[in-house]
Coordinates of all heavy atoms in Angstrom, one line a residue:
G23 N 21.9 4.9 11.8 CA 21.6 3.6 11.1 C 20.2 3.1 11.4 O 19.6 2.5 10.5
R24 N 19.7 3.3 12.6 CA 18.5 2.7 13.0 C 17.3 3.2 12.1 O 16.4 2.5 11.8 CB 18.2 3.0 14.4 CG 16.9 2.3 14.9 CD 16.8 2.2 16.4 NE 15.6 1.5 16.8 CZ 14.6 2.1 17.4 NH1 14.7 3.3 17.8 NH2 13.5 1.4 17.6
I25 N 17.4 4.5 11.7 CA 16.3 5.1 10.9 C 16.7 5.1 9.4 O 15.8 4.9 8.6 CB 15.9 6.5 11.4 CG1 14.7 7.0 10.6 CG2 17.0 7.5 11.2 CD1 14.1 8.3 11.2
C26 N 17.9 5.3 9.1 CA 18.4 5.4 7.7 C 18.2 4.1 6.9 O 17.7 4.2 5.8 CB 19.8 6.0 7.6 SG 19.9 7.6 8.2
Y27 N 18.7 3.0 7.5 CA 18.7 1.8 6.7 C 17.3 1.4 6.3 O 17.0 1.1 5.1 CB 19.4 0.7 7.4 CG 19.3 -0.6 6.7 CD1 19.9 -0.8 5.4 CD2 18.5 -1.7 7.1 CE1 19.8 -2.0 4.7 CE2 18.3 -2.8 6.4 CZ 18.9 -3.0 5.2 OH 18.8 -4.1 4.5
P28 N 16.3 1.3 7.3 CA 15.0 0.8 6.9 C 14.3 1.8 5.9 O 13.5 1.3 5.0 CB 14.2 0.8 8.2 CG 15.1 1.1 9.2 CD 16.4 1.5 8.7
L29 N 14.7 3.1 5.9 CA 14.1 4.0 5.0 C 14.9 4.2 3.7 O 14.5 5.0 2.9 CB 13.9 5.4 5.7 CG 12.9 5.3 6.9 CD1 12.9 6.7 7.6 CD2 11.6 4.9 6.5
S30 N 15.9 3.4 3.5 CA 16.8 3.6 2.4 C 16.2 2.9 1.1 O 16.6 3.1 0.0 CB 18.2 3.0 2.6 OG 18.1 1.6 2.8
S31 N 15.1 2.1 1.3 CA 14.5 1.4 0.2 C 13.2 2.1 -0.1 O 12.3 2.3 0.7 CB 14.2 0.0 0.6 OG 13.2 -0.6 -0.2
P32 N 13.0 2.4 -1.4 CA 11.7 3.0 -1.8 C 10.5 2.1 -1.6 O 9.4 2.5 -1.3 CB 11.9 3.3 -3.3 CG 13.2 2.9 -3.7 CD 14.0 2.4 -2.5
H33 N 10.8 0.8 -1.6 CA 9.8 -0.2 -1.4 C 9.3 -0.1 0.1 O 8.1 -0.2 0.3 CB 10.2 -1.6 -1.6 CG 10.6 -1.9 -3.1 ND1 9.8 -1.7 -4.1 CD2 11.8 -2.4 -3.6 CE1 10.4 -2.0 -5.2 NE2 11.6 -2.4 -5.0
R34 N 10.2 0.0 1.0 CA 9.8 0.1 2.4 C 9.1 1.4 2.7 O 8.2 1.4 3.5 CB 11.0 -0.1 3.3 CG 11.5 -1.6 3.3 CD 12.5 -1.9 4.4 NE 13.8 -1.4 4.1 CZ 14.8 -2.0 3.5 NH1 14.6 -3.2 2.9 NH2 16.0 -1.4 3.3
V35 N 9.5 2.5 2.1 CA 8.8 3.8 2.2 C 7.4 3.6 1.7 O 6.5 4.1 2.3 CB 9.6 4.9 1.6 CG1 8.8 6.2 1.6 CG2 11.0 5.1 2.2
R36 N 7.2 3.0 0.6 CA 5.9 2.8 0.0 C 5.0 2.0 0.9 O 3.8 2.3 1.1 CB 6.0 2.1 -1.4 CG 4.8 2.2 -2.2 CD 5.0 1.7 -3.7 NE 6.3 2.1 -4.2 CZ 7.1 1.3 -4.9 NH1 6.9 0.0 -5.0 NH2 8.2 1.8 -5.4
I37 N 5.6 0.9 1.6 CA 4.8 0.1 2.5 C 4.4 1.0 3.7 O 3.3 1.0 4.1 CB 5.7 -1.1 3.0 CG1 5.9 -2.1 1.9 CG2 5.0 -1.7 4.3 CD1 6.9 -3.1 2.2
L38 N 5.3 1.8 4.3 CA 5.0 2.7 5.4 C 3.9 3.7 5.0 O 2.9 3.9 5.8 CB 6.2 3.5 5.8 CG 7.3 2.7 6.6 CD1 8.5 3.6 6.9 CD2 6.7 2.1 7.9
K39 N 4.0 4.2 3.8 CA 2.9 5.2 3.4 C 1.6 4.5 3.2 O 0.6 5.1 3.6 CB 3.3 5.8 2.0 CG 4.5 6.8 2.2 CD 5.1 7.2 0.9 CE 4.4 8.3 0.2 NZ 5.2 8.7 -1.0
A40 N 1.6 3.3 2.7 CA 0.3 2.5 2.6 C -0.3 2.2 4.0 O -1.5 2.3 4.2 CB 0.5 1.2 1.9
L41 N 0.6 1.9 5.0 CA 0.1 1.6 6.3 C -0.2 2.8 7.1 O -1.0 2.7 8.1 CB 1.2 0.8 7.1 CG 1.4 -0.6 6.5 CD1 2.6 -1.3 7.2 CD2 0.2 -1.5 6.5
Y42 N 0.3 4.0 6.7 CA -0.1 5.2 7.3 C -1.6 5.5 7.2 O -2.2 6.1 8.1 CB 0.8 6.4 6.8 CG 0.6 7.7 7.5 CD1 1.3 7.9 8.7 CD2 -0.2 8.7 7.0 CE1 1.1 9.1 9.3 CE2 -0.4 9.9 7.6 CZ 0.3 10.1 8.8 OH 0.1 11.3 9.5
Q43 N -2.1 5.1 6.1 CA -3.5 5.3 5.8 C -4.4 4.3 6.5 O -5.5 4.7 7.0 CB -3.8 5.2 4.3 CG -3.0 6.2 3.5 CD -2.9 5.9 2.0 OE1 -3.4 4.8 1.5 NE2 -2.3 6.7 1.2
E44 N -4.0 3.0 6.6 CA -4.9 2.0 7.3 C -4.1 0.7 7.5 O -3.1 0.5 6.8 CB -6.1 1.8 6.5 CG -5.9 1.2 5.1 CD -7.1 1.0 4.3 OE1 -8.1 0.5 4.9 OE2 -7.1 1.4 3.1
E45 N -4.6 -0.1 8.4 CA -4.0 -1.5 8.5 C -4.2 -2.2 7.2 O -5.3 -2.0 6.6 CB -4.8 -2.2 9.6 CG -4.2 -2.0 11.0 CD -4.9 -3.0 12.0 OE1 -5.7 -3.8 11.6 OE2 -4.5 -2.9 13.2
R46 N -3.3 -3.1 6.9 CA -3.4 -3.8 5.6 C -2.9 -5.3 5.8 O -2.0 -5.5 6.6 CB -2.7 -3.2 4.5 CG -3.2 -1.8 4.1 CD -2.5 -1.2 3.0 NE -2.9 0.1 2.7 CZ -3.8 0.5 1.7 NH1 -4.4 -0.5 1.1 NH2 -4.0 1.7 1.5
S47 N -3.5 -6.2 5.1 CA -3.1 -7.6 5.0 C -1.9 -7.7 4.1 O -1.6 -6.8 3.3 CB -4.2 -8.5 4.6 OG -4.5 -8.2 3.2
F48 N -1.3 -8.8 4.1 CA -0.2 -9.1 3.2 C -0.6 -9.0 1.8 O 0.1 -8.3 1.0 CB 0.3 -10.6 3.5 CG 1.6 -10.9 2.7 CD1 2.8 -10.6 3.2 CD2 1.5 -11.5 1.5 CE1 4.0 -10.9 2.5 CE2 2.7 -11.8 0.8 CZ 3.9 -11.6 1.3
S49 N -1.8 -9.5 1.4 CA -2.2 -9.4 0.0 C -2.6 -8.0 -0.4 O -2.4 -7.6 -1.5 CB -3.4 -10.4 -0.2 OG -4.5 -10.1 0.6
D50 N -3.1 -7.2 0.6 CA -3.4 -5.8 0.3 C -2.1 -5.1 0.0 O -2.0 -4.3 -1.0 CB -4.0 -5.1 1.5 CG -5.5 -5.5 1.8 OD1 -6.1 -6.1 0.8 OD2 -6.0 -5.3 2.9
L51 N -1.1 -5.4 0.8 CA 0.2 -4.7 0.6 C 0.8 -5.1 -0.7 O 1.5 -4.3 -1.4 CB 1.2 -5.0 1.8 CG 0.9 -4.2 3.0 CD1 1.7 -4.8 4.2 CD2 1.1 -2.7 2.9
A52 N 0.7 -6.4 -1.1 CA 1.2 -6.8 -2.4 C 0.5 -6.0 -3.5 O 1.2 -5.6 -4.5 CB 0.9 -8.3 -2.6
G53 N -0.8 -5.8 -3.4 CA -1.5 -5.1 -4.4 C -1.1 -3.6 -4.5 O -0.9 -3.1 -5.6
V54 N -0.9 -3.0 -3.3 CA -0.5 -1.6 -3.3 C 0.9 -1.3 -3.7 O 1.2 -0.4 -4.4 CB -0.7 -1.1 -1.8 CG1 -0.1 0.3 -1.6 CG2 -2.2 -1.1 -1.5
T55 N 1.8 -2.2 -3.4 CA 3.2 -2.0 -3.6 C 3.7 -2.7 -4.9 O 4.8 -2.3 -5.4 CB 4.1 -2.5 -2.5 OG1 3.9 -4.0 -2.4 CG2 3.8 -1.9 -1.2
G56 N 3.0 -3.7 -5.4 CA 3.5 -4.4 -6.6 C 4.5 -5.4 -6.2 O 5.1 -6.1 -7.1
L57 N 4.9 -5.6 -4.9 CA 5.8 -6.6 -4.5 C 5.1 -7.9 -4.3 O 4.0 -7.9 -3.9 CB 6.5 -6.2 -3.2 CG 7.4 -4.9 -3.3 CD1 7.7 -4.4 -1.9 CD2 8.6 -5.1 -4.1
R58 N 5.8 -9.0 -4.5 CA 5.2 -10.3 -4.4 C 6.0 -11.2 -3.4 O 7.2 -11.0 -3.2 CB 5.2 -11.0 -5.7 CG 4.3 -10.3 -6.8 CD 2.9 -10.5 -6.5 NE 2.0 -9.8 -7.5 CZ 1.4 -8.7 -7.2 NH1 1.5 -8.1 -6.0 NH2 0.7 -8.1 -8.1
G59 N 5.3 -12.2 -2.8 CA 5.9 -13.2 -2.0 C 7.1 -12.9 -1.2 O 7.0 -12.0 -0.3
G60 N 8.2 -13.6 -1.4 CA 9.4 -13.4 -0.6 C 10.0 -12.0 -0.6 O 10.6 -11.6 0.3
N61 N 9.8 -11.3 -1.8 CA 10.3 -9.9 -1.9 C 9.6 -9.0 -0.9 O 10.2 -8.3 -0.1 CB 10.2 -9.5 -3.3 CG 11.1 -8.3 -3.6 OD1 11.9 -7.9 -2.8 ND2 11.0 -7.8 -4.8
L62 N 8.3 -9.1 -0.9 CA 7.5 -8.3 0.1 C 7.8 -8.7 1.5 O 8.0 -7.9 2.4 CB 6.0 -8.5 -0.2 CG 5.0 -7.8 0.7 CD1 5.3 -6.3 0.8 CD2 3.6 -8.0 0.3
L63 N 7.9 -10.0 1.8 CA 8.2 -10.5 3.1 C 9.5 -10.0 3.6 O 9.6 -9.6 4.8 CB 8.2 -12.1 3.1 CG 8.2 -12.7 4.5 CD1 7.0 -12.3 5.3 CD2 8.2 -14.2 4.3
F64 N 10.5 -10.0 2.7 CA 11.8 -9.4 3.1 C 11.7 -8.0 3.6 O 12.2 -7.7 4.7 CB 12.8 -9.5 1.9 CG 14.1 -8.7 2.1 CD1 15.1 -9.3 2.8 CD2 14.2 -7.4 1.6 CE1 16.3 -8.6 3.0 CE2 15.4 -6.7 1.8 CZ 16.4 -7.3 2.5
H65 N 11.0 -7.1 2.9 CA 10.9 -5.7 3.3 C 10.0 -5.6 4.6 O 10.3 -4.8 5.4 CB 10.3 -4.9 2.2 CG 11.2 -4.8 1.0 ND1 12.4 -4.1 1.1 CD2 11.2 -5.2 -0.3 CE1 13.1 -4.2 0.0 NE2 12.3 -4.8 -0.9
L66 N 9.0 -6.4 4.7 CA 8.1 -6.4 5.9 C 9.0 -6.8 7.1 O 8.9 -6.2 8.2 CB 6.9 -7.3 5.8 CG 5.8 -6.8 4.8 CD1 4.8 -7.9 4.6 CD2 5.2 -5.5 5.3
E67 N 9.8 -7.8 7.0 CA 10.6 -8.2 8.1 C 11.6 -7.2 8.5 O 11.9 -7.0 9.7 CB 11.4 -9.5 7.7 CG 10.5 -10.7 7.7 CD 11.1 -12.0 7.2 OE1 12.3 -12.0 6.7 OE2 10.5 -13.1 7.4
K68 N 12.2 -6.4 7.6 CA 13.1 -5.3 7.9 C 12.4 -4.2 8.7 O 12.9 -3.7 9.7 CB 13.7 -4.7 6.7 CG 14.6 -5.6 5.9 CD 15.9 -6.0 6.8 CE 16.7 -7.0 6.1 NZ 17.6 -7.7 7.0
L69 N 11.1 -3.9 8.3 CA 10.3 -2.9 9.0 C 9.9 -3.4 10.4 O 9.9 -2.7 11.4 CB 9.1 -2.5 8.2 CG 9.5 -1.8 6.9 CD1 8.3 -1.6 6.0 CD2 10.1 -0.4 7.2
L70 N 9.6 -4.7 10.5 CA 9.2 -5.3 11.8 C 10.4 -5.3 12.7 O 10.2 -5.0 13.9 CB 8.7 -6.7 11.6 CG 7.3 -6.9 11.0 CD1 7.0 -8.3 10.5 CD2 6.2 -6.5 12.0
E71 N 11.6 -5.7 12.2 CA 12.8 -5.8 13.1 C 13.1 -4.4 13.7 O 13.6 -4.4 14.8 CB 14.0 -6.2 12.2 CG 14.0 -7.7 11.8 CD 15.1 -8.0 10.8 OE1 15.9 -7.1 10.5 OE2 15.1 -9.1 10.3
T72 N 12.9 -3.3 13.0 CA 13.2 -2.0 13.5 C 12.1 -1.3 14.2 O 12.3 -0.2 14.7 CB 13.7 -1.1 12.3 OG1 12.7 -1.1 11.3 CG2 15.0 -1.6 11.7
G73 N 11.0 -2.0 14.3 CA 9.8 -1.5 15.1 C 9.0 -0.4 14.4 O 8.3 0.3 15.0
L74 N 9.2 -0.2 13.1 CA 8.5 0.8 12.3 C 7.1 0.3 12.0 O 6.2 1.1 11.8 CB 9.2 1.1 11.0 CG 10.6 1.8 11.2 CD1 11.3 1.9 9.9 CD2 10.4 3.1 11.9
I75 N 6.9 -1.0 12.0 CA 5.5 -1.6 11.8 C 5.3 -2.7 12.8 O 6.3 -3.2 13.4 CB 5.3 -2.1 10.4 CG1 6.2 -3.3 10.0 CG2 5.5 -1.0 9.3 CD1 5.8 -4.0 8.7
S76 N 4.1 -3.1 13.0 CA 3.8 -4.2 13.8 C 2.8 -5.1 13.1 O 2.2 -4.7 12.1 CB 3.2 -3.8 15.2 OG 2.0 -3.1 15.0
Q77 N 2.6 -6.3 13.5 CA 1.7 -7.3 12.9 C 0.7 -7.8 14.0 O 1.2 -8.2 15.0 CB 2.4 -8.4 12.2 CG 1.5 -9.3 11.5 CD 2.3 -10.5 10.8 OE1 3.4 -10.8 11.2 NE2 1.6 -11.0 9.8
R78 N -0.5 -7.7 13.7 CA -1.5 -8.2 14.6 C -1.5 -9.8 14.6 O -1.5 -10.4 13.6 CB -2.9 -7.8 14.2 CG -3.2 -6.3 14.6 CD -4.5 -5.9 14.1 NE -5.6 -6.7 14.7 CZ -6.8 -6.3 14.9 NH1 -7.1 -5.1 14.6 NH2 -7.7 -7.1 15.5
K79 N -1.4 -10.3 15.8 CA -1.2 -11.8 15.9 C -2.6 -12.5 15.5 O -2.5 -13.6 14.9 CB -0.8 -12.2 17.3 CG 0.5 -11.6 17.7 CD 1.6 -12.2 16.9 CE 3.0 -11.6 17.3 NZ 3.9 -11.4 16.2
D80 N -3.7 -11.9 15.9 CA -5.0 -12.5 15.6 C -5.3 -12.6 14.1 O -5.7 -13.6 13.7 CB -6.1 -11.9 16.5 CG -6.2 -10.4 16.2 OD1 -5.3 -9.8 15.7 OD2 -7.3 -9.9 16.6
R81 N -5.2 -11.5 13.4 CA -5.6 -11.5 12.0 C -4.4 -11.4 11.0 O -4.6 -11.5 9.8 CB -6.6 -10.3 11.8 CG -7.8 -10.5 12.6 CD -9.0 -9.7 12.2 NE -8.7 -8.5 11.5 CZ -9.1 -7.2 11.8 NH1 -9.8 -7.1 12.9 NH2 -8.8 -6.2 11.1
G82 N -3.3 -11.1 11.6 CA -2.1 -11.0 10.7 C -1.9 -9.7 9.9 O -1.0 -9.6 9.1
E83 N -2.8 -8.7 10.2 CA -2.7 -7.4 9.5 C -1.5 -6.6 10.0 O -1.2 -6.7 11.2 CB -4.0 -6.7 9.6 CG -5.1 -7.3 8.8 CD -6.3 -6.4 8.7 OE1 -6.6 -5.6 9.7 OE2 -7.0 -6.5 7.7
Y84 N -0.9 -5.9 9.1 CA 0.2 -5.0 9.5 C -0.3 -3.6 9.7 O -1.3 -3.1 9.1 CB 1.2 -5.0 8.3 CG 1.8 -6.3 8.1 CD1 1.3 -7.2 7.2 CD2 3.0 -6.7 8.7 CE1 1.8 -8.5 6.9 CE2 3.6 -7.9 8.5 CZ 3.0 -8.8 7.6 OH 3.6 -10.0 7.4
S85 N 0.4 -2.9 10.7 CA 0.1 -1.5 10.9 C 1.3 -0.7 11.2 O 2.3 -1.3 11.6 CB -0.9 -1.4 12.1 OG -0.4 -1.9 13.2
I86 N 1.3 0.5 11.0 CA 2.5 1.4 11.3 C 2.5 1.7 12.8 O 1.4 1.9 13.4 CB 2.4 2.7 10.4 CG1 3.8 3.4 10.4 CG2 1.3 3.6 10.7 CD1 3.9 4.5 9.3
T87 N 3.6 1.8 13.4 CA 3.7 2.1 14.8 C 3.9 3.7 14.9 O 4.2 4.4 13.9 CB 4.9 1.4 15.4 OG1 6.1 1.9 14.7 CG2 4.8 -0.1 15.3
L88 N 3.9 4.1 16.1 CA 4.2 5.6 16.4 C 5.6 5.9 15.9 O 5.8 6.9 15.2 CB 4.0 5.9 17.9 CG 4.3 7.3 18.3 CD1 3.4 8.3 17.5 CD2 4.2 7.5 19.8
W89 N 6.5 5.0 16.1 CA 7.9 5.2 15.7 C 7.9 5.3 14.2 O 8.6 6.1 13.6 CB 8.8 4.1 16.2 CG 10.1 3.9 15.6 CD1 10.5 2.8 15.0 CD2 11.2 4.8 15.5 NE1 11.8 2.9 14.5 CE2 12.2 4.2 14.8 CE3 11.4 6.1 15.9 CZ2 13.4 4.8 14.5 CZ3 12.6 6.7 15.6 CH2 13.6 6.1 14.9
G90 N 7.1 4.4 13.5 CA 7.1 4.4 12.0 C 6.5 5.7 11.5 O 7.0 6.3 10.5
C91 N 5.4 6.2 12.2 CA 4.9 7.5 11.8 C 5.9 8.7 11.9 O 6.0 9.5 11.1 CB 3.6 7.8 12.6 SG 2.2 6.8 12.3
E92 N 6.6 8.6 13.0 CA 7.6 9.7 13.3 C 8.7 9.6 12.3 O 9.2 10.6 11.8 CB 8.2 9.6 14.7 CG 7.1 9.9 15.8 CD 7.6 9.6 17.2 OE1 8.7 9.0 17.4 OE2 6.9 10.0 18.1
A93 N 9.2 8.4 11.9 CA 10.2 8.2 10.9 C 9.8 8.7 9.6 O 10.5 9.4 8.8 CB 10.6 6.8 10.9
L94 N 8.5 8.4 9.2 CA 8.0 8.8 7.9 C 7.9 10.3 7.9 O 8.2 11.0 6.9 CB 6.6 8.1 7.7 CG 6.1 8.1 6.3 CD1 7.0 7.4 5.3 CD2 4.7 7.4 6.3
A95 N 7.4 10.9 9.0 CA 7.3 12.4 9.0 C 8.7 13.1 8.9 O 8.9 14.1 8.2 CB 6.6 12.8 10.3
A96 N 9.7 12.4 9.6 CA 11.1 13.0 9.5 C 11.6 12.9 8.1 O 12.2 13.8 7.6 CB 12.0 12.2 10.5
L97 N 11.3 11.8 7.4 CA 11.8 11.6 6.0 C 11.1 12.7 5.1 O 11.7 13.3 4.3 CB 11.4 10.2 5.5 CG 11.9 9.9 4.1 CD1 13.4 10.0 3.9 CD2 11.4 8.5 3.7
A98 N 9.8 12.9 5.3 CA 9.0 13.9 4.5 C 9.6 15.3 4.8 O 9.8 16.0 3.8 CB 7.6 13.8 4.9
G99 N 9.9 15.6 6.0 CA 10.5 16.9 6.3 C 11.9 17.1 5.7 O 12.2 18.1 5.1
L100 N 12.7 16.0 5.7 CA 14.0 16.0 5.0 C 13.9 16.3 3.5 O 14.6 17.1 2.9 CB 14.8 14.8 5.3 CG 16.2 14.6 4.8 CD1 17.1 15.7 5.3 CD2 16.8 13.3 5.1
C101 N 12.9 15.5 2.9 CA 12.7 15.7 1.5 C 12.3 17.1 1.2 O 12.7 17.7 0.2 CB 11.7 14.7 1.0 SG 12.2 13.0 1.0
R102 N 11.4 17.7 2.0 CA 10.9 19.1 1.8 C 12.1 20.0 1.9 O 12.3 21.0 1.1 CB 9.9 19.5 2.8 CG 8.5 19.2 2.3 CD 7.4 19.9 3.2 NE 7.6 19.6 4.6 CZ 7.1 18.5 5.2 NH1 6.5 17.6 4.5 NH2 7.3 18.2 6.5
Q103 N 13.0 19.8 2.9 CA 14.1 20.7 3.1 C 15.1 20.6 1.9 O 15.5 21.7 1.5 CB 14.9 20.2 4.4 CG 16.1 21.0 4.7 CD 15.9 22.1 5.7 OE1 15.1 21.9 6.6 NE2 16.6 23.1 5.6
I104 N 15.3 19.4 1.4 CA 16.2 19.3 0.3 C 15.6 20.0 -1.0 O 16.3 20.7 -1.7 CB 16.5 17.8 0.0 CG1 17.3 17.2 1.1 CG2 17.1 17.6 -1.4 CD1 17.4 15.7 1.1
R105 N 14.3 19.8 -1.2 CA 13.6 20.4 -2.3 C 13.6 21.9 -2.2 O 13.9 22.6 -3.2 CB 12.2 19.9 -2.4 CG 11.5 20.3 -3.7 CD 10.1 19.7 -3.7 NE 9.3 20.1 -2.6 CZ 8.7 19.3 -1.7 NH1 8.8 18.0 -1.9 NH2 8.0 19.7 -0.7
D106 N 13.4 22.4 -1.0 CA 13.4 23.9 -0.8 C 14.7 24.5 -0.9 O 14.8 25.7 -1.2 CB 12.7 24.2 0.6 CG 11.3 23.9 0.6 OD1 10.7 23.6 -0.4 OD2 10.7 23.9 1.8
D107 N 15.8 23.8 -0.7 CA 17.1 24.3 -0.8 C 17.6 24.5 -2.2 O 18.6 25.1 -2.5 CB 18.1 23.4 0.0 CG 18.0 23.6 1.5 OD1 17.3 24.5 1.9 OD2 18.6 22.8 2.2
D108 N 16.9 23.8 -3.2 CA 17.3 23.9 -4.6 C 17.1 25.2 -5.2 O 16.2 26.0 -4.9 CB 16.6 22.8 -5.4 CG 17.2 21.4 -5.1 OD1 18.3 21.4 -4.6 OD2 16.6 20.4 -5.5

């Protein structure tokens, strides 16, 4: 449940992929994901709660954690495995 639930949303996966490339502000993430206001905040809070992302206190930018990178890599591997099994 710790890894499956946060990655069960395509929106949260999109956020992780965006943060994998670089740190981003809330408004940057809104632009990249198409999510707005409370909807984006909801998904960011779920990722923060599970430790997949962190937020810099000084500037407020979000970044992916090592755990987030590992979770994203595991998801990519699972998707490849499923695709290759077809």
